[in-house]
Amino acid sequence: ALAAHGQSTSDVGGTIRYYASEEGIPRVSVGMSGSAVMNAETNGDGEYGFSDAPMGDVRIVPRKSGEAGAAVSALDASFAFQVAVGMRDIDDTRLVACDVTGDGRVSALDGARILQYKVGLIDRLPVAERCGSDWAFLPQSTGAPNQRAILPEMDVCSPGEISLEPLDAAPASQNFVAVLFGDCTGNWH
């Protein structure tokens, strides 16, 4: 497509699904910056889209706060304690969920912070407080031309993003997996 000023454009979109259930995540704010500054929000199925994005380098960054529901529980704290003492192995995605201190590992302190949050002694988990978001987003690489998936880094509060350098065609779906901090068991919905 051609924009009114003659610059080539492309439609960009994707889905954001929960790490444990594949359920779409609604009401995620998705920002595009670079050659285009645009904002979108996921619908009830976790889908988002940008129409007529100008070609050039772009970054796609989702953000979300709140809407944890009853997903974070004492069971999640128990899960974190089990990981901390070596009774349970986890993959990198669950590490993001359980590492509520944001130090790159799961320790007894993470389990304690989850319990404190659950009983109301703290209003937010430490990583959520520091980063201003209750969620992290893991980009899913699709092999689209010029796509770079940048994983979240909680020690520097980078929520995860997809970079298209440059956006030069209608790329395949630009999808993310969402992780709610503290939901080690993955029971959010």
Side-chain angles (χ1 to χ4, degrees):
L2 291 179
H5 57 295
Q7 184 177 14
S8 294
T9 63
S10 180
D11 293 338
V12 180
T15 59
I16 300 177
R17 302 205 177 281
Y18 201 58
Y19 84 95
S21 66
E22 295 293 314
E23 184 176 345
I25 307 292
R27 295 175 297 283
V28 176
S29 174
V30 184
M32 178 185 284
S33 61
S35 63
V37 177
M38 305 171 91
N39 290 297
E41 185 174 277
T42 56
N43 64 18
D45 294 325
E47 300 167 341
Y48 72 92
F50 301 101
S51 295
D52 297 325
M55 299 297 192
D57 293 352
V58 297
R59 293 176 49 222
I60 301 168
V61 182
R63 295 201 182 274
K64 183 173 181 71
S65 288
E67 299 191 27
V72 180
S73 69
L75 184 59
D76 295 299
S78 175
F79 193 106
F81 286 131
Q82 290 172 5
V83 171
V85 298
M87 291 177 59
R88 183 182 296 268
D89 290 327
I90 58 172
D91 61 16
D92 290 343
T93 303
R94 282 197 199 272
L95 173 65
V96 172
C98 294
D99 177 20
V100 300
T101 59
D103 64 1
R105 60 190 179 92
V106 179
S107 69
L109 183 57
D110 293 294
R113 294 294 182 256
I114 292 170
L115 280 176
Q116 289 172 336
Y117 173 74
K118 179 59 186 164
V119 300
L121 293 176
I122 58 175
D123 293 332
R124 282 183 105 176
L125 295 167
V127 71
E129 181 70 30
R130 187 174 67 248
C131 296
S133 177
D134 299 306
W135 301 74
F137 298 92
L138 287 70
Q140 302 297 288
S141 181
T142 60
N146 309 315
Q147 181 195 54
R148 196 165 55 108
I150 302 166
L151 293 173
E153 293 182 48
M154 297 302 95
D155 58 335
V156 295
C157 295
S158 169
E161 67 183 68
I162 292 175
S163 178
L164 295 162
E165 301 168 350
L167 169 64
D168 63 0
S173 294
Q174 303 302 301
N175 301 328
F176 292 86
V177 170
V179 178
L180 174 65
F181 295 127
D183 186 15
C184 300
T185 60
N187 66 341
W188 177 90
H189 80 96

